Amino acid sequence: MRKLKAAVIMGSDSDLPVVSKAIDKLKGLGIEVEARVMSAHRTPRRVMEFAERAEDNGFGVIIAAAGKAAHLAGVIAAHTILPVIGIPIKSSTLDGLDSLLSTVQMPSGVPVATVAIDGAENAAILAAQILALNDVDLRDRLNAMKNDMEAMIDIKDKKLSQGI
Amino acid sequence: MRKLKAAVIMGSDSDLPVVSKAIDKLKGLGIEVEARVMSAHRTPRRVMEFAERAEDNGFGVIIAAAGKAAHLAGVIAAHTILPVIGIPIKSSTLDGLDSLLSTVQMPSGVPVATVAIDGAENAAILAAQILALNDVDLRDRLNAMKNDMEAMIDIKDKKLSQGI
Amino acid sequence: MRKLKAAVIMGSDSDLPVVSKAIDKLKGLGIEVEARVMSAHRTPRRVMEFAERAEDNGFGVIIAAAGKAAHLAGVIAAHTILPVIGIPIKSSTLDGLDSLLSTVQMPSGVPVATVAIDGAENAAILAAQILALNDVDLRDRLNAMKNDMEAMIDIKDKKLSQGI
Amino acid sequence: MRKLKAAVIMGSDSDLPVVSKAIDKLKGLGIEVEARVMSAHRTPRRVMEFAERAEDNGFGVIIAAAGKAAHLAGVIAAHTILPVIGIPIKSSTLDGLDSLLSTVQMPSGVPVATVAIDGAENAAILAAQILALNDVDLRDRLNAMKNDMEAMIDIKDKKLSQGI
Amino acid sequence: MRKLKAAVIMGSDSDLPVVSKAIDKLKGLGIEVEARVMSAHRTPRRVMEFAERAEDNGFGVIIAAAGKAAHLAGVIAAHTILPVIGIPIKSSTLDGLDSLLSTVQMPSGVPVATVAIDGAENAAILAAQILALNDVDLRDRLNAMKNDMEAMIDIKDKKLSQGI
Amino acid sequence: MRKLKAAVIMGSDSDLPVVSKAIDKLKGLGIEVEARVMSAHRTPRRVMEFAERAEDNGFGVIIAAAGKAAHLAGVIAAHTILPVIGIPIKSSTLDGLDSLLSTVQMPSGVPVATVAIDGAENAAILAAQILALNDVDLRDRLNAMKNDMEAMIDIKDKKLSQGI
Amino acid sequence: MRKLKAAVIMGSDSDLPVVSKAIDKLKGLGIEVEARVMSAHRTPRRVMEFAERAEDNGFGVIIAAAGKAAHLAGVIAAHTILPVIGIPIKSSTLDGLDSLLSTVQMPSGVPVATVAIDGAENAAILAAQILALNDVDLRDRLNAMKNDMEAMIDIKDKKLSQGI
Amino acid sequence: MRKLKAAVIMGSDSDLPVVSKAIDKLKGLGIEVEARVMSAHRTPRRVMEFAERAEDNGFGVIIAAAGKAAHLAGVIAAHTILPVIGIPIKSSTLDGLDSLLSTVQMPSGVPVATVAIDGAENAAILAAQILALNDVDLRDRLNAMKNDMEAMIDIKDKKLSQGI
């Protein structure tokens, strides 16, 4: 059985410094990623077409990152039944609160799985957790990552307890 | 020359108690109105088609009302160069702040003319002001309305000054 | 292959009026649900044990609903690599903003897929979208639900266009 | 028939770095602009006089930019039936939330078409959309601009898809 | 020497239930009050004329109450050097935060002495404190009021300490 | 008759860069100023004693500046019937919203005349407006200042209108 | 050794419906309570005297409840080195955010141990936890309460798991 | 009798620059401190074990510092009846509001004594105030610190009064 891909869509290429963490994390977890720049407001047809064909094109999950009145994830979710993960991008004003509310407060019927403001890494991990339901190896990699994370904190803990 | 119509789109028919004030005001000012229920998330294709044909169908301005992650006005604006007026609808949580930010914080290139939370009457007046640039009679009616409004405050002022 | 179950955990039985919409929706979509009352603060061990065994116990996704300093979803996510969906419950103050931020602003490494404040129905649909990656019949039911939703808006639209 | 002009009023010349984007955009779209510094609080009579005569002086739309307790757009709207567009300027505290609420939350009867915080470019595009109802050439330029914007995103999309 | 009067201006007669507490308090403190309904947006000329003549007409302080994008106090302050006290009125959305920010965040040069949201009674006391600088009897009444207030809390304190 | 002085109290000497604008403005308007560092939380007795004796010591108005849980103005107001002006100081977090709410939201009976966040200059002008009720010369200086302010904006306006 | 008492101070007797839960909880845990009505703004001297003598009068912890610009806990903390617990009371506007920030955002040197908005029961439990450091019996009662709480959730959990 | 220790737990070693002020203050007051890095989300078992054994291990109070969806203090409080003090850490977005609400808005039954955002020094003083109920020498040191603080403000006050 062919593995499902993850799409990472950003509303503007200026979001790349944040969003690249999601792309890297997905690749690090062995997931095939397709990264795109598409805007709910500036290229709305392209967004619609991408979303409508995503399932047929082998995607299992779509990550969408946008700032301000962040409609991108919601618009994608309107055109697919694939799970859509939204990353609210912190913009130049309001500290990302506008992006967060525009992404998370979706009306009944069309959910967006929202992560923290600028939470690109967590978007990737969530995508991996979703795809891992179907993929024992990915599950192992996620468990290993969780263990590594724990070990890293423990090292810092030891360093601090002894260092001060 | 044929007069331009105003469209009033709401994301849900539960918004009608608020939005009907816009419809009534537009009719009261002699503007032909078409009222529709269309959702950026539940009937996205219909929204797109409506927006793309709005100019050809004789509309001069589009009012869009939605709550929560209120994408409706922005999605319409993505598909037309007609002026789009957004009414952020107060929903059951966050007192309309989510709707306001989702409507007003549009990215560069695709503006939404946002009025106050639940400001349906002002959306209608703004639409009329826009259409009035082309319509001397409508201008007269707007001026008359402004004068009436002023007179009404004056009556209340007299009543209060003498009453207390 | 045995179908994966969905867990619906709430921090307090007072959340049931909101959360029951998630339970009903999941059942309506043919998903086996287990509903539980467990508190991150009052029965933390039970939460931990549930989360650690959830994968082995046949769950594919966990929905967690909590209010105020809503730690439940995050604490569950700390103990499993299953996708965890958080429903921020609107409490008696702050209109659910505290619950939303406590649920969504997770640190790197441990994501919570957050839906709207009191967005129980969307939590269920998101859970279904995740489980549907593995389940063609569920995919069909989700597509049918999406079509029904669209049709319902269209009916309301026709009613309004002709009624006013 | 003589073309209608756009006015761009700012409350302080310190707003010019933001507001100049509106002036440039309007000029770029071939619209005649008059830029002014006038303050609702420091030169209130001048604001009133300008607003009252704006229609007779050949203006079709007024853009007003102000920060903090941003009354400028509202005060102008009180004295004219021309459409007034408000740009909330981000000030040194509160990230522009004060400016946004002071601009958008207008009482019934006197609307201000509010754009995003510091959204000067969108204010210009909205003004152009309004004036374009009367001006086929401007409509063409707006459509061209929309197409260019779309093409630019597509280029960035291609670059990203192939580059990573 | 003739005593200075206090003006109490409200933007709408719907504010009277809140504002009447200011009127009553001022009268209770023996201050001559003139109460008016005038709107910064609907009767802007009248507001301007009132403010410009207030000093000559025997006023020593002006209280202005308004909700939403509450410009009334600021517009009055623009036209007089009398101290202007602003009461932000809680409106149907945003819990008065819009009114508060629109009233208090005045730009340099034109202050508004802002009291709490719906703080009509305090507006009156503040006005009395200002007028009392010139009026020994009023000073005595304010001191008596302060003592009464203290005594009343003491009675409640005794009641509670003994009652529970 | 001896002229009333203005007191300027700050909760911490780190507030001086902001507060010094109030001191300078008061001096520039010919008002005798006494500047003090006193903390509602760290030197509460000194604050109380200062406030209780302020009237007898020849003060007509007290300006108090503090950040975070800004209690200074309120505590002073508890001990005097002189008008107390509060300057909410922007601190390292929350952009001054905490200071603003702690200063302005006073309970009935004890008002604080609150100005904008970091609005030191306006605090001084408000103090001058209050003292000017008793002082014709100060009134003249305030009127002159208002005229200068207007003239300055006009110069900037001319420069801009002709310069662009 | 004589047991330390807990003081429960409220700024207004209108806070009693919320605050009585703290009083009841403390009594239920066997702690001697003294409940008082004292206001930081209306009876400031009494507050100061109470705080200064609290340690000598046998108190080990002071709970202070106040709304709006909630200075009570901070003012008490300024006059004692006893631990002071603040309960921010939700008032008629701003949903308690003003009370929370006024209570918790204390400057360095004078802490207030702040609990949730209207969190009277938790204030009592926190007071008990503090006093229990010195009191083995109280520690036992707190542990029993924690176990009861856990058992109650378990009962609800069983009821729900079997009932749906 | 052996003196009780204070624990200072931080969710990430990146919090150390803020949290070290708590550690230093506690040491300066002669309190034995144990500093640890443990994460409610990344090392949840370790947090649980630490909290459960803290009382037996000689701790009298636990300080926990975390940012964003700051669950650390609440999770610790779930596993102990020792008083737990929470320091909300300001993170890269939302200015610490998320951390504050996630820490302070605890449900009934499990309190967290919350101090100001980044209020590490106050967390230490509060811990000392709690431990001082049992420790006359510590009480003396706290009183001395309070006097020093007062004296320091007085020196600054004198410098300012004479310097300007």
Side-chain angles (χ1 to χ4, degrees):
Chain A
M1 192 179 132
R2 198 166 143 260
K3 295 242 167 103
L4 294 169
K5 293 181 293 180
V8 178
I9 320 291
M10 65 207 80
S12 158
D13 62 340
S14 66
D15 300 335
L16 192 57
V18 170
V19 178
S20 62
K21 284 177 206 159
I23 300 170
D24 294 348
K25 192 79 187 177
L26 286 164
K27 290 183 177 172
L29 284 161
I31 295 164
E32 191 179 343
V33 191
E34 198 167 300
R36 303 289 301 270
V37 183
M38 290 189 288
S39 160
H41 299 118
R42 287 175 279 199
T43 60
R45 277 203 164 266
R46 203 165 296 272
V47 170
M48 184 189 69
E49 288 160 13
F50 180 88
E52 286 181 345
R53 295 176 197 161
E55 201 180 334
D56 290 343
N57 285 336
F59 292 99
V61 63
I62 302 172
I63 294 172
K68 301 182 83 176
H71 300 186
L72 184 59
V75 165
I76 291 172
H79 292 284
T80 182
I81 60 159
L82 289 179
V84 176
I85 298 170
I87 309 173
I89 298 289
K90 179 181 171 175
S91 181
S92 57
T93 57
L94 295 180
D95 232 7
L97 185 66
D98 48 357
S99 320
L100 172 58
L101 297 180
S102 301
T103 302
V104 78
Q105 286 291 81
M106 291 291 291
S108 270
V110 188
V112 165
T114 306
V115 296
I117 299 168
D118 285 354
E121 196 183 345
N122 271 359
I125 297 175
L126 178 58
Q129 290 175 334
I130 290 170
L131 297 175
L133 292 180
N134 247 355
D135 181 340
V136 179
D137 292 347
L138 181 51
R139 223 139 62 209
D140 289 345
R141 286 194 292 276
L142 279 170
N143 276 317
M145 190 194 78
K146 215 171 174 67
N147 291 340
D148 286 356
M149 204 164 63
E150 204 177 324
M152 211 157 55
I153 300 278
D154 278 348
I155 291 170
K156 287 173 177 172
D157 183 28
K158 288 218 180 77
K159 227 167 117 184
L160 180 70
S161 327
Q162 296 162 358
I164 291 182
Chain B
M1 190 180 133
R2 200 167 141 256
K3 295 241 167 101
L4 294 168
K5 292 180 294 180
V8 178
I9 319 291
M10 66 206 80
S12 159
D13 62 341
S14 65
D15 300 334
L16 192 56
V18 169
V19 179
S20 63
K21 284 177 206 158
I23 300 170
D24 295 348
K25 192 79 186 176
L26 285 164
K27 291 184 177 171
L29 284 161
I31 295 164
E32 191 178 344
V33 191
E34 197 168 301
R36 302 291 300 271
V37 182
M38 289 189 287
S39 161
H41 299 117
R42 286 177 279 201
T43 60
R45 276 204 164 267
R46 203 165 296 274
V47 169
M48 183 190 69
E49 288 161 12
F50 181 88
E52 286 182 345
R53 296 176 196 159
E55 200 180 334
D56 289 345
N57 284 336
F59 291 99
V61 64
I62 302 173
I63 294 172
K68 301 181 83 177
H71 301 184
L72 185 58
V75 165
I76 292 173
H79 292 284
T80 182
I81 60 159
L82 289 179
V84 176
I85 298 169
I87 309 173
I89 298 290
K90 178 182 170 174
S91 184
S92 57
T93 57
L94 295 181
D95 232 5
L97 185 67
D98 47 358
S99 320
L100 172 58
L101 297 180
S102 301
T103 302
V104 77
Q105 285 292 83
M106 291 291 291
S108 270
V110 187
V112 166
T114 306
V115 295
I117 298 168
D118 285 354
E121 196 183 345
N122 271 1
I125 297 174
L126 178 58
Q129 290 174 334
I130 290 169
L131 297 176
L133 292 180
N134 248 355
D135 180 340
V136 179
D137 292 347
L138 182 51
R139 223 138 62 210
D140 289 346
R141 285 194 293 276
L142 279 170
N143 276 317
M145 191 193 77
K146 215 171 175 66
N147 292 339
D148 287 356
M149 205 163 64
E150 202 177 327
M152 211 156 54
I153 300 278
D154 279 349
I155 290 170
K156 287 173 177 172
D157 183 28
K158 289 218 178 77
K159 227 166 118 183
L160 179 71
S161 328
Q162 294 162 358
I164 291 181
Chain C
M1 190 180 134
R2 199 167 141 255
K3 296 243 166 101
L4 294 168
K5 293 181 292 180
V8 178
I9 320 291
M10 65 207 80
S12 157
D13 62 340
S14 66
D15 300 335
L16 191 57
V18 170
V19 178
S20 62
K21 285 177 205 158
I23 300 170
D24 295 348
K25 192 78 186 176
L26 285 165
K27 291 184 177 172
L29 284 162
I31 295 163
E32 192 179 341
V33 191
E34 198 167 301
R36 302 291 300 270
V37 182
M38 290 189 287
S39 161
H41 299 117
R42 286 175 280 200
T43 60
R45 277 204 164 266
R46 203 165 296 274
V47 169
M48 184 190 70
E49 288 160 12
F50 181 89
E52 287 181 345
R53 295 176 196 159
E55 201 180 335
D56 290 343
N57 284 336
F59 291 100
V61 63
I62 301 172
I63 294 172
K68 302 181 83 178
H71 300 185
L72 184 59
V75 165
I76 292 173
H79 293 283
T80 181
I81 61 159
L82 290 179
V84 176
I85 298 170
I87 310 173
I89 298 289
K90 178 182 171 174
S91 183
S92 57
T93 56
L94 295 180
D95 232 8
L97 185 67
D98 47 359
S99 319
L100 172 58
L101 297 179
S102 301
T103 302
V104 79
Q105 285 292 82
M106 290 292 291
S108 270
V110 188
V112 166
T114 306
V115 296
I117 297 168
D118 285 354
E121 196 183 345
N122 271 0
I125 297 174
L126 178 57
Q129 290 175 334
I130 290 169
L131 297 176
L133 291 181
N134 247 355
D135 181 340
V136 181
D137 292 345
L138 182 52
R139 222 137 65 207
D140 289 346
R141 286 194 293 276
L142 279 169
N143 276 316
M145 190 193 79
K146 217 173 173 67
N147 291 339
D148 287 356
M149 205 164 62
E150 203 178 324
M152 211 157 55
I153 300 276
D154 278 349
I155 290 171
K156 286 174 176 171
D157 184 28
K158 288 218 179 77
K159 227 166 116 185
L160 179 72
S161 327
Q162 295 161 0
I164 292 182
Chain D
M1 191 181 134
R2 198 165 142 261
K3 294 242 166 104
L4 294 168
K5 293 180 294 180
V8 178
I9 320 292
M10 64 207 81
S12 159
D13 62 342
S14 66
D15 301 334
L16 192 56
V18 170
V19 179
S20 61
K21 285 177 207 158
I23 300 170
D24 295 348
K25 192 80 188 176
L26 286 164
K27 291 184 177 171
L29 285 162
I31 295 164
E32 190 179 344
V33 192
E34 198 167 300
R36 303 290 301 271
V37 182
M38 290 190 286
S39 160
H41 299 118
R42 286 176 280 200
T43 59
R45 276 203 165 267
R46 201 165 297 273
V47 170
M48 183 189 71
E49 287 160 11
F50 180 88
E52 286 182 345
R53 295 175 196 161
E55 201 181 335
D56 290 343
N57 284 337
F59 291 99
V61 63
I62 302 171
I63 294 172
K68 299 182 85 175
H71 299 186
L72 184 59
V75 165
I76 291 172
H79 292 283
T80 181
I81 60 159
L82 289 180
V84 176
I85 297 170
I87 309 173
I89 298 290
K90 178 180 170 176
S91 182
S92 57
T93 58
L94 296 182
D95 232 6
L97 186 67
D98 49 357
S99 320
L100 172 58
L101 296 180
S102 301
T103 302
V104 79
Q105 285 291 82
M106 291 290 293
S108 270
V110 187
V112 165
T114 306
V115 295
I117 298 167
D118 285 354
E121 195 183 344
N122 271 0
I125 296 175
L126 178 58
Q129 289 175 335
I130 290 169
L131 297 176
L133 292 180
N134 246 355
D135 180 341
V136 180
D137 291 346
L138 182 52
R139 223 139 61 210
D140 289 347
R141 284 193 294 276
L142 279 170
N143 276 317
M145 190 193 78
K146 216 173 173 68
N147 291 340
D148 287 355
M149 203 164 65
E150 204 177 324
M152 212 157 55
I153 300 276
D154 278 349
I155 291 170
K156 287 173 176 173
D157 183 29
K158 288 218 179 77
K159 225 166 119 185
L160 180 71
S161 327
Q162 295 162 358
I164 290 184
Chain E
M1 190 181 134
R2 198 166 143 258
K3 296 241 167 100
L4 294 169
K5 291 181 295 180
V8 178
I9 320 291
M10 66 206 80
S12 159
D13 62 340
S14 66
D15 300 335
L16 192 56
V18 169
V19 179
S20 61
K21 284 177 208 159
I23 301 170
D24 294 348
K25 191 78 188 176
L26 286 164
K27 290 185 177 170
L29 285 162
I31 295 164
E32 192 179 343
V33 191
E34 198 168 301
R36 303 290 301 270
V37 183
M38 291 189 287
S39 161
H41 299 117
R42 287 176 279 202
T43 60
R45 277 204 163 266
R46 201 164 297 273
V47 169
M48 184 190 70
E49 288 161 11
F50 180 88
E52 287 182 343
R53 296 177 195 159
E55 200 180 334
D56 290 344
N57 284 337
F59 291 99
V61 63
I62 301 173
I63 294 172
K68 299 182 84 176
H71 300 185
L72 184 58
V75 166
I76 291 173
H79 292 284
T80 181
I81 59 158
L82 289 179
V84 176
I85 298 169
I87 309 174
I89 298 290
K90 178 181 170 174
S91 183
S92 57
T93 57
L94 295 181
D95 233 6
L97 185 67
D98 48 358
S99 320
L100 172 58
L101 297 180
S102 301
T103 301
V104 78
Q105 285 291 84
M106 291 291 292
S108 271
V110 187
V112 166
T114 305
V115 294
I117 298 168
D118 285 354
E121 196 183 345
N122 271 0
I125 296 174
L126 178 58
Q129 289 174 334
I130 290 169
L131 297 176
L133 292 180
N134 247 356
D135 180 341
V136 179
D137 291 346
L138 182 51
R139 223 139 62 209
D140 289 346
R141 285 193 294 275
L142 279 170
N143 277 317
M145 190 193 77
K146 215 171 174 67
N147 292 339
D148 286 356
M149 203 164 64
E150 202 178 325
M152 210 157 54
I153 300 277
D154 277 349
I155 290 170
K156 286 173 177 173
D157 183 29
K158 288 218 179 78
K159 227 167 118 184
L160 179 71
S161 327
Q162 295 161 358
I164 290 183
Chain F
M1 191 179 133
R2 198 166 143 258
K3 294 240 167 105
L4 294 169
K5 293 181 293 179
V8 178
I9 320 291
M10 65 207 80
S12 159
D13 62 340
S14 66
D15 300 335
L16 192 57
V18 170
V19 179
S20 62
K21 285 178 205 157
I23 300 169
D24 294 348
K25 192 78 187 176
L26 285 164
K27 291 183 178 172
L29 284 161
I31 295 164
E32 190 179 345
V33 192
E34 196 167 303
R36 303 290 300 272
V37 183
M38 290 189 286
S39 160
H41 299 116
R42 287 177 279 199
T43 58
R45 276 203 165 267
R46 202 166 296 274
V47 170
M48 184 189 71
E49 287 161 11
F50 181 88
E52 286 182 345
R53 296 178 196 158
E55 201 180 333
D56 290 343
N57 284 337
F59 291 99
V61 63
I62 302 172
I63 294 172
K68 301 182 84 177
H71 300 185
L72 184 59
V75 165
I76 292 173
H79 291 284
T80 181
I81 60 160
L82 290 180
V84 175
I85 298 170
I87 309 174
I89 298 290
K90 178 180 170 176
S91 182
S92 57
T93 57
L94 295 181
D95 232 7
L97 185 66
D98 48 358
S99 320
L100 172 57
L101 297 180
S102 301
T103 301
V104 78
Q105 285 291 84
M106 290 291 291
S108 271
V110 187
V112 165
T114 306
V115 295
I117 298 167
D118 284 354
E121 195 183 345
N122 271 359
I125 297 175
L126 178 58
Q129 290 175 334
I130 290 169
L131 297 176
L133 292 181
N134 246 355
D135 181 340
V136 180
D137 292 347
L138 182 51
R139 223 139 61 209
D140 288 346
R141 285 193 294 275
L142 279 170
N143 276 317
M145 190 194 77
K146 215 173 174 67
N147 291 340
D148 287 355
M149 203 163 63
E150 204 177 325
M152 211 156 55
I153 300 277
D154 278 349
I155 290 170
K156 287 173 177 172
D157 183 29
K158 288 218 179 76
K159 227 166 118 184
L160 179 72
S161 328
Q162 295 162 0
I164 291 183
Chain G
M1 191 183 132
R2 201 168 140 257
K3 296 244 167 100
L4 294 169
K5 292 181 293 179
V8 178
I9 319 292
M10 66 207 80
S12 158
D13 62 341
S14 66
D15 300 334
L16 191 56
V18 170
V19 178
S20 62
K21 284 177 207 158
I23 301 170
D24 294 347
K25 192 78 186 175
L26 285 165
K27 291 184 178 172
L29 284 162
I31 295 164
E32 191 179 342
V33 191
E34 198 168 300
R36 302 290 301 270
V37 183
M38 290 189 288
S39 161
H41 300 118
R42 287 176 279 201
T43 59
R45 277 202 164 266
R46 201 164 298 273
V47 170
M48 184 190 69
E49 288 160 11
F50 181 88
E52 287 182 344
R53 296 176 196 160
E55 201 180 334
D56 291 343
N57 284 336
F59 291 99
V61 63
I62 301 173
I63 294 172
K68 302 181 83 177
H71 301 185
L72 184 59
V75 165
I76 291 172
H79 292 284
T80 181
I81 60 159
L82 289 179
V84 176
I85 298 170
I87 308 173
I89 298 289
K90 179 180 170 175
S91 182
S92 57
T93 57
L94 295 181
D95 233 6
L97 186 67
D98 47 358
S99 321
L100 173 57
L101 297 179
S102 302
T103 301
V104 78
Q105 285 292 83
M106 292 291 291
S108 271
V110 188
V112 165
T114 306
V115 295
I117 299 168
D118 285 354
E121 196 183 344
N122 271 0
I125 297 175
L126 178 57
Q129 290 175 333
I130 290 169
L131 297 176
L133 292 180
N134 246 356
D135 179 341
V136 180
D137 292 346
L138 182 50
R139 222 137 64 210
D140 289 346
R141 286 194 293 276
L142 280 170
N143 276 317
M145 190 192 78
K146 215 171 174 68
N147 291 339
D148 287 355
M149 205 163 63
E150 202 177 326
M152 212 157 54
I153 300 277
D154 278 349
I155 290 170
K156 287 173 176 171
D157 184 28
K158 288 217 179 78
K159 227 167 117 184
L160 179 70
S161 327
Q162 295 162 358
I164 290 181
Chain H
M1 191 182 131
R2 198 166 142 258
K3 294 242 168 102
L4 295 168
K5 293 181 293 180
V8 178
I9 320 291
M10 65 207 79
S12 158
D13 62 339
S14 65
D15 301 335
L16 191 57
V18 170
V19 178
S20 61
K21 285 177 206 159
I23 300 170
D24 294 347
K25 191 79 186 176
L26 285 164
K27 290 183 178 171
L29 284 161
I31 295 164
E32 190 179 344
V33 192
E34 198 168 302
R36 302 292 299 272
V37 183
M38 290 189 285
S39 160
H41 299 117
R42 286 176 280 199
T43 60
R45 276 204 165 267
R46 202 165 297 274
V47 169
M48 184 190 70
E49 288 160 11
F50 180 89
E52 287 181 345
R53 295 177 196 159
E55 200 180 334
D56 290 343
N57 284 336
F59 291 99
V61 63
I62 301 172
I63 294 173
K68 301 181 83 177
H71 300 186
L72 184 59
V75 165
I76 291 173
H79 292 284
T80 182
I81 60 160
L82 289 179
V84 176
I85 298 170
I87 309 173
I89 299 289
K90 178 180 171 176
S91 181
S92 58
T93 58
L94 296 181
D95 232 7
L97 185 66
D98 48 357
S99 320
L100 173 57
L101 297 180
S102 301
T103 302
V104 78
Q105 285 292 82
M106 291 291 291
S108 270
V110 188
V112 166
T114 306
V115 295
I117 298 167
D118 285 354
E121 196 183 344
N122 271 359
I125 297 174
L126 178 58
Q129 289 175 333
I130 290 170
L131 297 176
L133 292 181
N134 247 355
D135 181 340
V136 180
D137 292 346
L138 182 51
R139 223 137 63 209
D140 288 347
R141 286 194 292 275
L142 279 169
N143 276 316
M145 189 193 80
K146 217 173 172 67
N147 290 340
D148 287 356
M149 205 163 64
E150 204 177 324
M152 210 158 55
I153 300 277
D154 278 349
I155 291 170
K156 287 173 176 172
D157 183 29
K158 287 219 177 77
K159 226 166 117 184
L160 180 71
S161 327
Q162 294 161 0
I164 291 182

